[in-house]
Amino acid sequence: MPLQLDIRAVLKNKAPKAHVPEFIIRYLERIAHVKQMNAFLKAHPAERDYDFIRCVLDEELGCSASIEGIENIPTDDEPVIFVSNHPLGGLDGMIIAQMIHESGARKRPLKVIVNDLLMFLEPIADLWAPVSKVGKLSKEQALEQQRMWESESDVMSFPAGACSRLQRIDGKWQICDLEWQKNIIQRAKEYKRNIVPIYFEGHNSKFFYTLAYIRKLLHIKLNIEMLYLVDEMYGAHGKHFRVHVLPPIPYSTFDSTQSPKQWAQYVKSIVYGSNHTSR
C-alpha cells in the first residue's frame, strides 16, 4: 500500500488530547494540498531522498535554481555546518540540500535541521534532523540531534528558527530573517566545524506576511502562518530561485571578543551583506 499523508494522524501525534472539529480538518487538508501530495506519493512509490526531491522540484512544482559561488563549497574531508537565511520555510531546505548533493563537492551525508512536522513526509525523512515547533521534542528526537552533531555528517541549519518575516528595519519594510540563534555558533566551536554561509533569494506571498503581521499585532503566540507553508510551496510553481554560496568562516573566528549571540548576528550580516539583488 502506497504511503499516504493523513492530517488526522499528524494532529493526533502532535496534540493527542485535542478534539479538532471536522470542518477544520477539511480546511487543513485543503491548504496542505493533501490530495495533490497523496497523488504524487502514489505516482512515486519507490523514490526516496534526493531522487524524491528531484521529482518534487521537476514534476510537482516545476521549480529550478541556479547557484553562484559553488566553488565555495568545501571539498575537504572535515564536517561543516551550512547556514542559510530561511525565506520560504521548507522548499528552500529541499533546494539547498539538493544543490549540495548535486555539486559533488561533499562526500559526507547531510542532515538538514527542520520542523519536525516534515518528518511525516517519509520518503525524505532520513535527510532531516527534527526540531519541534509545536510541542516538545521527543527524547528520541533529542538523542538523534545529539548523535547528528557527534557524527561525521554535514549539518544544514536555518539559525533564525523560523522562515523570514516582513520587518521594519532602518525605516524601511523588508522581508528578512528574525534574529539568528546563538546555538549554531556554540555547536561550531564545540564540534570544531567551519560554517559555510548561504543566501537564498526568494519570498512567500503577501498573504503570508500580512497574516504573520496581524498575528503579531494581536499578540497571538501560536504561529498560525506556519499552517500555510505547504500552500506557499505549491504557490512557488514554476519559479526560478538563485542561491549564493559564500566563503567558509573558520570556527576559530568565534573567539571571546564577542558573545555567541553577537557572533550569530555577525554571520547573519555576512549572509545579508553581500551584493545580492534583494535582502
Side-chain angles (χ1 to χ4, degrees), residues 72-92:
N72 289 321
I73 299 178
T75 57
D76 60 31
D77 198 38
E78 296 300 318
V80 300
I81 305 173
F82 294 94
V83 299
S84 175
N85 63 313
H86 201 16
L88 305 182
L91 180 58
D92 42 12

Side-chain angles (χ1 to χ4, degrees), residues 224-253:
I224 300 172
E225 61 271 22
M226 182 179 69
L227 300 173
Y228 291 87
L229 287 178
V230 176
D231 193 50
E232 292 292 330
M233 183 181 74
Y234 274 91
H237 189 280
K239 288 186 178 181
H240 179 82
F241 299 99
R242 294 175 64 190
V243 183
H244 306 259
V245 184
L246 308 176
I249 305 172
Y251 68 85
S252 57
T253 302

Side-chain angles (χ1 to χ4, degrees), residues 29-243:
E29 287 177 337
R30 182 168 67 82
I31 64 173
H33 295 256
V34 169
K35 288 185 178 180
Q36 286 174 265
M37 294 187 73
N38 281 339
F40 178 79
L41 289 168
K42 185 177 180 179
H44 298 84
E47 305 294 347
R48 296 190 63 83
D49 300 333
Y50 297 108
D51 291 335
F52 182 85
I53 293 177
R54 177 49 61 197
C55 287
V56 170
L57 298 179
D58 291 349
E59 300 178 28
E60 188 72 354
L61 300 179
C63 289
S64 59
S66 56
I67 299 96
E68 295 184 13
I70 196 168
E71 69 277 3
N72 289 321
I73 299 178
T75 57
D76 60 31
D77 198 38
E78 296 300 318
V80 300
I81 305 173
F82 294 94
V83 299
S84 175
N85 63 313
H86 201 16
L88 305 182
L91 180 58
D92 42 12
M94 287 195 287
I95 289 175
I96 292 172
Q98 192 74 10
M99 172 200 77
I100 294 170
H101 171 71
E102 293 183 350
S103 75
R106 304 300 298 165
K107 306 304 179 185
R108 298 177 175 279
L110 176 69
K111 282 286 189 177
V112 184
I113 300 175
V114 298
N115 187 320
D116 67 333
L117 288 172
L118 288 176
M119 300 303 290
F120 287 93
L121 198 54
E122 194 272 338
I124 48 177
D126 288 345
L127 300 178
W128 305 147
V131 171
S132 180
K133 299 298 180 183
V134 182
K136 295 181 178 180
L137 200 65
S138 70
K139 289 183 179 180
E140 178 54 38
Q141 289 172 334
L143 286 172
E144 183 179 339
Q145 285 252 337
Q146 184 64 29
R147 288 193 293 265
M148 173 193 72
W149 286 114
E150 293 174 351
S151 75
E152 296 298 306
S153 297
D154 289 332
V155 175
M156 172 69 212
S157 173
F158 297 99
C163 62
S164 303
R165 297 294 193 272
L166 184 65
Q167 302 177 72
R168 195 168 181 82
I169 301 174
D170 298 329
K172 297 180 180 179
W173 288 103
Q174 301 179 40
I175 297 169
C176 63
D177 276 6
L178 305 174
E179 184 176 83
W180 279 21
Q181 298 171 9
K182 65 181 181 180
N183 64 335
I184 201 64
I185 301 299
Q186 294 169 327
R187 295 293 182 269
K189 294 173 66 176
E190 180 179 359
Y191 294 99
K192 295 181 171 55
R193 290 172 178 250
N194 296 338
I195 285 180
V196 183
I198 294 173
Y199 179 79
F200 191 107
E201 292 188 35
H203 58 81
N204 284 323
S205 68
K206 290 182 179 178
F207 167 80
F208 179 86
Y209 299 116
T210 302
L211 177 62
Y213 184 69
I214 291 174
R215 174 183 68 81
K216 186 177 180 180
L217 283 179
L218 295 176
H219 302 288
I220 298 173
K221 293 184 179 181
L222 181 63
N223 189 346
I224 300 172
E225 61 271 22
M226 182 179 69
L227 300 173
Y228 291 87
L229 287 178
V230 176
D231 193 50
E232 292 292 330
M233 183 181 74
Y234 274 91
H237 189 280
K239 288 186 178 181
H240 179 82
F241 299 99
R242 294 175 64 190
V243 183

